[in-house]
Amino acid sequence: EMEGEMVRMRVAEQEQRVKGAQEEAERLRAARLREEEAEKARAAAENDKMRAERGVLAKKEAEAEGARVLAEERSAREEQRVKALQEEMATLRAAEKQRQAAEGRAPAGNAPGNAAPQDR
């Protein structure tokens, strides 16, 4: 009977050790799951941050491209305006030469008394 009691005690001790080991395994599993969830949350936050930064960068690139296009358009308009002014000046010079030729005198700048102010 004493031997049976000893066996029951050893079985009870073994059951306690198994139960303790199972509880420890469950605690470790829960801790691992919490750590995995925390890591997933950190990764998601990092992805969100990177996505936002890419969005900001894309917006800045689009704004820079828009500014470049506007600058090119302004430059082209200014070049066109300069060309139109040069053509207008050439037309005015030709008209002045024709007017002077019709009046029978030399164009300005060719006769000593008709020199333009910058030529004097």
Side-chain angles (χ1 to χ4, degrees):
E1 193 171 305
M2 186 73 118
E3 196 174 306
E5 185 62 30
M6 294 288 282
V7 169
R8 276 192 293 280
M9 284 178 58
R10 279 187 294 210
V11 168
E13 286 176 9
Q14 185 66 23
E15 287 174 348
Q16 280 301 104
R17 281 196 297 269
V18 167
K19 184 178 177 185
Q22 287 173 336
E23 289 172 351
E24 180 65 10
E26 182 59 30
R27 186 188 67 74
L28 291 173
R29 186 177 84 69
R32 180 178 52 81
L33 289 175
R34 282 191 303 275
E35 184 59 34
E36 287 175 0
E37 288 302 315
E39 182 57 33
K40 284 180 187 176
R42 281 192 294 273
E46 183 66 22
N47 284 342
D48 289 346
K49 180 181 173 189
M50 290 178 66
R51 199 172 9 263
E53 288 173 354
R54 282 193 298 268
V56 168
L57 180 60
K59 182 179 177 185
K60 287 183 179 180
E61 287 174 346
E63 289 171 352
E65 177 64 13
R68 184 191 64 76
V69 167
L70 288 176
E72 285 179 358
E73 290 172 354
R74 275 195 304 272
S75 176
R77 282 193 305 270
E78 188 61 21
E79 287 176 17
Q80 188 63 34
R81 190 177 76 80
V82 167
K83 185 177 177 183
L85 287 173
Q86 289 171 336
E87 289 172 358
E88 184 180 346
M89 288 177 63
T91 300
L92 289 173
R93 282 191 197 106
E96 178 63 16
K97 283 183 182 180
Q98 284 181 344
R99 186 187 63 77
Q100 289 176 353
E103 291 177 1
R105 59 177 200 194
N110 291 348
N114 290 339
Q118 69 270 13
D119 294 339
R120 289 184 192 156

